[in-house]
Amino acid sequence: MNRRYLTTPIYYATGDPHLGHAYTTVLADTLARYYRQTGAEVRFLTGTDEHGQKMQEAAAKRDMTPIELADQMAESFEAAWKDLNISFDRFLRTSEPEHIGVVSTVLERLWAKGQIYDDVYSGWYCVQEERYWTEREVGAEHLCPDCKRPVEFVEEKNYFFRMSDYQERLIQHIEDHPGWIVPGTRRNEILGFLKQPLQDLSISRPKSRLAWGVTLPFDPDHVCYVWVDALINYVTASGLLDPDSGPDQPGFTDQGNSWWPASLHIMGKDIITTHAVYWPTLLMAADLPLPKQILAHGWWIMEDEKMAKSVGNVVDPLALREDYGTDGVRWYLLRDMPTGSDASYTPERFHARYDELANVLGNLASRAISMIVKYRDGIIPEAAGDGLEADIASTLSAVTGHMDALRVHDAMATSMDLARTANGYVDRREPWSQAKDPSGAEDLDETLASLARVLAVLTALFLPVTPQKMTDLAGRLGLKSVPTLDQARSISLGGLRVEKGAPLFPRVDR
Ligand SMILES: [Zn+2]
């Protein structure tokens, strides 16, 4: 059985979900739905990252305990994902006992294998990033290089993971597997980063400073560094490790029926280093297989906010859901951003993409269904209907190729081209003339059967991005559900009754 295990990062639960989180999650959802369309068994993981100093401080600021804030934020993220029609199978919270148990299991294992040692750390610490910086990095001003806030001087006992021991093995892995990090620009960035000697990684924080975290199994006065805790969530949700087992228990390296290794970790480019350096070296040290692939996507660049407000435009595309629907926004996000690159949001581009959806796909559905109602009393004719077969076959193979190469924007462009071709077919065949010609009945049957068939194929192709609308369209074609890609290859709709409805993608006054 073809199985796929996909993950988003677990989002830091100090603030409400925003466009960056939404894009990552919609991208992951689209791929999850695509894999299901290919017949794969899919596990799709998302969740919230709830430990660490920022959580502790954000909660204190609101007069809440960390777990109260975490509860509220987990609810807010889950609600946001339901609004965006995200089909996750597992929402993991790092405060769950199962996850805490698995983090302990992994740390015990690393400790027993001598992969962790303690040492005194003295140097500079940024509270915001929860990370240490060197004297050189903070400069004479003693400011954090990342967030520019003042850093604190600390001298404290710390546990370190022997990350430096795995530098060569990691470089080798990246070089041996050219498609492991996508896109290639990010792969080169990581290889560039690995040209410098890799330091060992501090994996603990003293409880005197930070109590809100997973206690180290070998030292009750320290908690696990929040990034190490968070990355392990991917293993927790796979079911690979028994949260109650110690370092020597069998089952630790037994794959059993678990979902590990992940097929694909999806994240923004800002957190590629933790996923492509910290995470694989931790897995190597724990003798666990590495994820099969890592996709780091780009950022949405907003046009100048002041300008947008002064002309009355909406700045955040998520707010456009109200007028254009969830599927309209999902389509824009995936169609307009080349997967892996940055893209600029402007209202003009949003409208252009929405118009494509309404005028090409929506229009095709509406005219084809209207003609079947008008000329054949709503029953799709039993006819060969092979007028678009070559286009359907080449589109299915091109789209599969693009999706498997993680180029969602190209897959969507190619799918939309099939709808364009089908509109051209209507114009060429002129069913309205065929209907007037007493000897044209067979030709008309063929035209209408071809159009019904291409619409069924389009529901299968667009389902991953616009799931609600495609489910709706499949229903109007008389289908019980959207066909899988395999079913779409040979589906015939002869004899089914179509149903007219309101426009799939209605015009919106601007
Ligand atoms: Zn900082």
Side-chain angles (χ1 to χ4, degrees):
M1 177 84 194
N2 181 9
R3 298 174 104 211
R4 299 272 188 165
Y5 175 30
L6 282 88
T7 70
T8 72
I10 44 174
Y11 302 112
Y12 211 54
T14 48
D16 284 312
H18 56 64
L19 180 62
H21 304 124
Y23 176 73
T24 312
T25 312
V26 169
L27 175 61
D29 183 61
T30 296
L31 289 166
R33 289 178 187 273
Y34 165 73
Y35 294 132
R36 291 188 198 111
Q37 279 293 83
T38 65
E41 192 189 349
V42 172
R43 174 87 157 171
F44 172 16
L45 167 71
T46 190
T48 40
D49 180 3
E50 304 184 351
H51 290 131
Q53 192 147 348
K54 276 184 275 182
M55 248 337 251
Q56 191 170 275
E57 285 173 3
K61 234 179 250 170
R62 296 176 205 206
D63 239 343
M64 296 167 100
T65 62
I67 192 66
E68 282 169 350
L69 176 61
D71 285 348
Q72 184 183 315
M73 286 302 161
E75 209 171 286
S76 157
F77 274 87
E78 276 207 70
W81 301 157
K82 295 223 164 92
D83 282 350
L84 283 169
N85 209 358
I86 304 300
S87 61
F88 58 86
D89 303 296
R90 170 83 158 92
F91 190 98
L92 184 143
R93 300 182 51 187
T94 53
S95 58
E96 288 172 22
E98 183 190 356
H99 175 68
I100 291 169
V102 170
V103 172
S104 300
T105 302
V106 172
L107 292 174
E108 273 180 359
R109 167 79 169 191
L110 294 172
W111 180 247
K113 285 165 58 75
Q115 301 297 311
I116 292 171
Y117 62 93
D118 65 302
D119 201 357
V120 172
Y121 176 87
S122 65
W124 300 95
Y125 184 76
C126 171
V127 172
Q128 182 67 20
E129 256 93 89
E130 297 177 48
R131 61 164 291 179
Y132 300 100
W133 297 102
T134 63
E135 184 75 40
R136 189 169 52 84
E137 285 167 326
V138 300
E141 321 253 80
H142 297 145
L143 295 179
C144 167
D146 267 9
C147 70
K148 314 295 175 208
R149 289 181 175 82
V151 287
E152 291 171 17
F153 189 82
V154 295
E155 190 168 54
E156 59 198 22
K157 181 174 164 184
N158 237 260
Y159 288 88
F160 292 87
F161 160 53
R162 298 187 189 279
M163 190 159 73
S164 58
D165 286 0
Y166 295 91
Q167 178 159 12
E168 286 315 310
R169 220 175 120 186
L170 179 59
I171 293 171
Q172 197 60 48
H173 183 82
I174 297 172
E175 283 175 350
D176 290 347
H177 302 84
W180 190 58
I181 301 172
V182 178
T185 46
R186 299 276 98 81
R187 175 177 182 267
N188 295 338
E189 198 178 290
I190 293 297
L191 283 172
F193 175 82
L194 289 170
K195 287 204 170 98
Q196 307 294 322
L198 203 52
Q199 308 290 310
D200 286 347
L201 180 68
S202 159
I203 59 138
S204 68
R205 298 292 181 265
K207 272 195 187 166
S208 53
R209 181 145 48 78
L210 172 65
W212 179 237
V214 180
T215 301
L216 296 187
F218 39 83
D219 188 338
D221 294 333
H222 293 258
V223 295
C224 182
Y225 171 42
V226 69
W227 260 111
V228 172
D229 166 2
L231 288 163
I232 293 171
N233 99 90
Y234 300 133
V235 165
T236 304
S238 77
L240 175 67
L241 300 183
D242 180 352
D244 302 319
S245 80
D248 304 318
Q249 298 295 313
F252 191 89
T253 53
D254 174 15
Q255 300 285 324
N257 198 34
S258 92
W259 286 90
W260 196 257
S263 316
L264 181 64
H265 289 320
I266 301 164
M267 77 222 61
K269 63 181 181 183
D270 50 323
I271 52 173
I272 178 80
T273 309
T274 46
H275 283 82
V277 179
Y278 296 8
W279 184 224
T281 53
L282 282 163
L283 289 166
M284 285 172 182
D287 277 334
L288 292 177
L290 304 194
K292 289 181 192 148
Q293 208 172 21
I294 294 171
L295 168 63
H297 66 72
W299 284 346
W300 283 97
I301 316 287
M302 299 308 214
E303 71 173 7
D304 185 68
E305 287 195 26
K306 264 190 214 152
M307 195 184 85
K309 271 180 192 149
S310 69
V311 294
N313 286 326
V314 180
V315 171
D316 184 349
L318 292 181
L320 296 168
R321 285 181 47 244
E322 218 170 285
D323 288 334
Y324 296 88
T326 296
D327 281 0
V329 172
R330 288 173 58 113
W331 163 255
Y332 167 72
L333 293 176
L334 292 166
R335 174 67 187 88
D336 212 46
M337 176 183 271
T339 317
S341 308
D342 290 343
S344 297
Y345 163 71
T346 68
E348 292 72 24
R349 288 192 69 82
F350 182 92
H351 292 142
R353 290 305 183 196
Y354 185 80
D355 289 348
E356 190 179 29
L357 208 49
N359 299 342
V360 182
L361 179 58
N363 184 41
L364 174 71
S366 135
R367 67 205 290 218
I369 291 175
S370 298
M371 288 188 291
I372 294 167
V373 169
K374 185 169 176 191
Y375 301 131
R376 291 294 179 264
D377 290 328
I379 306 296
I380 300 169
E382 302 266 9
D386 54 6
L388 288 159
E389 281 321 292
D391 299 290
I392 288 173
S394 66
T395 302
L396 281 167
S397 101
V399 167
T400 309
H402 289 317
M403 289 300 274
D404 290 344
L406 305 175
R407 292 193 308 264
V408 178
H409 60 296
D410 284 336
M412 289 307 112
T414 306
S415 302
M416 192 56 90
D417 283 342
L418 179 61
R420 270 193 195 92
T421 302
N423 274 317
Y425 174 80
V426 175
D427 299 340
R428 214 166 53 242
R429 298 279 292 186
E430 297 188 352
W432 45 92
S433 310
Q434 291 173 333
K436 281 185 208 141
D437 177 358
S439 65
E442 258 180 52
D443 286 345
L444 180 59
D445 281 351
E446 190 194 320
T447 307
L448 299 177
S450 295
L451 290 173
R453 177 155 153 65
V454 81
L455 281 176
V457 172
L458 288 166
T459 63
L461 293 173
F462 280 92
L463 179 83
V465 174
T466 55
Q468 284 167 338
K469 297 294 183 176
M470 292 306 103
T471 304
D472 180 356
L473 178 55
R476 293 185 199 195
L477 293 169
L479 295 167
K480 287 200 180 69
S481 59
V482 174
T484 64
L485 290 172
D486 242 11
Q487 292 165 339
R489 272 173 228 284
S490 57
I491 196 167
S492 154
L493 289 81
L496 295 180
R497 174 178 290 281
V498 300
E499 207 178 295
K500 273 207 231 180
L504 273 183
F505 303 102
R507 283 179 206 289
V508 177
D509 289 334
R510 290 167 195 162

